Amino acid sequence: MQKFNAKVKVMLKKGILDVQGKTVENSLKTLGFDNIANIRIGKFITFDVEADTIEKAKEIANSAVDKLLYNPNIETYYLEIESIEGNI
Amino acid sequence: MQKFNAKVKVMLKKGILDVQGKTVENSLKTLGFDNIANIRIGKFITFDVEADTIEKAKEIANSAVDKLLYNPNIETYYLEIESIEGNI
């Protein structure tokens, strides 16, 4: 078995109003940040996966994200996976 | 003025218990994902910045994050900034 690290970015789909982002944007404007726009706030999730190959690790990670970590109706995600050490 | 895109990862500091991550980890184990561990859940924030130079854009972005987007007591952040188009 090898150990891998997965990094997942989960963002609201384009076209879905990002209420949290809009709120922060308004607050920043109140603070004088007039040059900042289009704030989108999503989730950044990291976890370790043990698997025999990187392909298998990616499959497990994708499956976990699909089952629990994102809402396919309103969100999209991007997953990266990399080896973090030798065999264990 | 040029336009830049900022990407910010905000994570709980090491040593701070990630309750949300722990909860998700337990749920994944219940679903049969025994090979996943160390889940940490943070925020992924993107926004556009208008500035004359990339250094100035980075300064504005860091200042915005410092003032509103993270809690220095329990979180750390990592900021990346890149040009997204020519002059505007």
Side-chain angles (χ1 to χ4, degrees):
Chain A
M1 297 276 266
Q2 282 181 287
K3 208 167 184 176
F4 301 91
N5 182 253
K7 292 182 171 62
V8 188
K9 294 170 190 163
V10 180
M11 302 299 285
L12 286 171
K13 284 180 186 167
K14 276 185 189 177
I16 303 282
L17 177 66
D18 184 337
V19 179
Q20 197 187 357
K22 204 69 203 165
T23 305
V24 168
E25 196 171 315
N26 291 342
S27 300
L28 283 173
K29 290 212 188 305
T30 308
L31 290 171
F33 290 94
D34 295 322
N35 295 333
I36 289 181
N38 300 326
I39 300 194
R40 309 283 288 175
I41 300 182
K43 280 181 285 188
F44 186 70
I45 305 163
T46 64
F47 54 88
D48 297 336
V49 186
E50 279 179 26
D52 289 329
T53 63
I54 194 163
E55 289 76 20
K56 185 68 189 160
K58 197 158 192 170
E59 194 183 310
I60 292 170
N62 268 311
S63 174
V65 175
D66 285 341
K67 287 210 176 131
L68 205 59
L69 296 173
Y70 95 118
N71 176 349
N73 293 321
I74 57 166
E75 293 172 327
T76 56
Y77 73 89
Y78 175 72
L79 183 142
E80 277 176 272
I81 200 150
E82 58 181 12
S83 180
I84 49 174
E85 57 182 3
N87 290 353
I88 51 174
Chain B
M1 297 277 267
Q2 281 182 288
K3 209 166 183 176
F4 301 90
N5 184 252
K7 292 182 171 64
V8 188
K9 296 170 190 163
V10 180
M11 301 299 285
L12 286 171
K13 284 180 186 167
K14 278 187 187 175
I16 303 282
L17 177 66
D18 185 337
V19 180
Q20 195 186 358
K22 204 71 205 163
T23 306
V24 168
E25 196 171 315
N26 290 343
S27 300
L28 284 173
K29 290 212 187 308
T30 308
L31 290 171
F33 290 93
D34 295 321
N35 295 333
I36 289 181
N38 300 327
I39 301 194
R40 308 283 288 175
I41 300 182
K43 280 181 286 187
F44 186 70
I45 304 164
T46 64
F47 54 87
D48 297 336
V49 186
E50 279 178 27
D52 289 329
T53 62
I54 195 164
E55 289 77 19
K56 184 69 189 161
K58 197 159 193 171
E59 195 184 310
I60 293 170
N62 268 311
S63 173
V65 174
D66 285 341
K67 288 211 175 129
L68 205 59
L69 295 172
Y70 96 118
N71 177 348
N73 294 320
I74 57 168
E75 293 173 325
T76 57
Y77 73 89
Y78 175 72
L79 183 142
E80 277 177 272
I81 200 149
E82 59 180 10
S83 179
I84 48 173
E85 57 182 3
N87 291 353
I88 50 173

